[in-house]
Amino acid sequence: AQSVTQLDSQVPVFEEAPVELRCNYSSSVSVYLFWYVQYPNQGLQLLLKYLSGSTLVKGINGFEAEFNKSQTSFHLRKPSVHISDTAEYFCAVSVKTSYDKVIFGPGTSLSVIP
Amino acid sequence: ETGVTQTPRHLVMGMTNKKSLKCEQHLGHNAMYWYKQSAKKPLELMFVYNFKEQTENNSVPSRFSPECPNSSHLFLHLHTLQPEDSALYLCASSQVSAKVGETQYFGPGTRLLVL
């Protein structure tokens, strides 16, 4: 069975500092990996995804993530955060069945401190 | 309107009430989803519809009843709910295709409080 672990439930970081949000997954089949962001009082929106090819994936708002198959990780990074990055971040894996079944991690709450 | 819309945005109901949540997508997608988002818990997939046919019912109690009259609209009918059903209910849509890793597009959610 597939599962997603986000080890940090809350990450406080000062504005303009770098940040890394950790994600590990387990799966016995090929997986497709996502990061979604949820701003306050909104639904989730896609930040970036890895399907195949280059293991370094660039997304919106200056975020990037690196797929590491040997460590079963897909950590999200940003070199310099802004106040507007304060949000909940969800790592997810997708497995192809009759539809795209997506399994979400528990989320990491990023708080950017001015 | 564009994207995925949900109404109402907030709902307070008693345990004996009957209410419905509505979701509409304007993206031309053919798959729609209901998720439950509770505090401190991962998103829970409730129901999936592909081309108006239900393909997943993730052991959801019968007090939640989905309806998908067409590929653009999805309802969640609620009756005799419990206080623990209070949560944010999110609707999403995606394109069904042979490709893998299709992105899901989410609505803003309905914040439900059951008293």
Side-chain angles (χ1 to χ4, degrees):
Chain A
Q2 296 78 28
S3 67
V4 179
T5 303
Q6 293 181 248
L7 293 173
D8 307 303
S9 60
Q10 296 185 34
V11 174
V13 63
F14 286 103
E15 192 174 14
E16 298 183 5
V19 70
E20 178 180 84
L21 305 183
R22 296 181 292 169
C23 172
N24 290 88
Y25 68 92
S26 66
S27 175
S28 57
V29 298
S30 297
V31 294
Y32 308 94
L33 297 158
F34 302 75
W35 276 98
Y36 282 85
V37 60
Q38 184 177 30
Y39 298 105
N41 301 312
Q42 294 186 30
L44 281 71
Q45 65 181 86
L46 182 72
L47 266 182
L48 49 81
K49 62 182 177 182
Y50 172 79
L51 302 182
S52 65
S54 173
T55 57
L56 183 63
V57 181
K58 294 189 183 298
I60 62 172
N61 300 339
F63 284 93
E64 63 180 33
E66 185 153 21
F67 170 59
N68 188 318
K69 188 173 182 179
S70 63
Q71 296 186 6
T72 60
S73 67
F74 191 55
H75 300 332
L76 181 71
R77 302 186 183 97
K78 185 170 182 177
S80 175
V81 296
H82 190 267
I83 295 289
S84 59
D85 293 322
T86 294
E88 192 84 15
Y89 291 79
F90 295 92
C91 183
V93 299
S94 171
V95 178
K96 193 70 173 179
T97 61
S98 59
Y99 65 96
D100 280 300
K101 183 174 183 177
V102 179
I103 299 163
F104 288 88
T108 296
S109 178
L110 175 65
S111 298
V112 180
I113 306 163
Chain B
E1 292 191 74
T2 59
V4 182
T5 58
Q6 290 186 244
T7 55
R9 293 292 310 275
H10 301 272
L11 179 63
V12 180
M13 58 187 289
M15 290 189 284
T16 58
N17 293 156
K18 289 185 180 181
K19 297 286 184 183
S20 295
L21 310 185
K22 179 183 175 182
C23 174
E24 184 173 1
Q25 58 95 2
H26 308 269
L27 300 169
H29 291 160
N30 42 36
M32 297 188 78
Y33 312 78
W34 279 118
Y35 287 91
K36 177 183 179 182
Q37 187 177 27
S38 304
K40 310 298 183 187
K41 293 176 68 175
L43 266 72
E44 299 173 51
L45 179 64
M46 300 175 73
F47 302 103
V48 181
Y49 279 82
N50 277 1
F51 297 98
K52 303 187 298 178
E53 298 297 322
Q54 187 179 128
T55 54
E56 181 92 7
N57 177 336
N58 207 18
S59 303
V60 180
S62 59
R63 57 186 184 270
F64 294 91
S65 174
E67 179 189 0
C68 188
N70 55 61
S71 293
S72 299
H73 294 86
L74 185 64
F75 295 88
L76 188 62
H77 303 300
L78 316 171
H79 62 97
T80 58
L81 294 191
Q82 304 298 311
E84 60 265 28
D85 296 322
S86 299
L88 182 68
Y89 289 84
L90 291 165
C91 174
S93 70
S94 70
Q95 190 67 23
V96 176
S97 73
K99 295 190 302 180
V100 296
E102 293 286 354
T103 300
Q104 292 191 9
Y105 293 81
F106 285 80
T110 295
R111 176 73 61 187
L112 173 66
L113 177 62
V114 181
L115 300 177

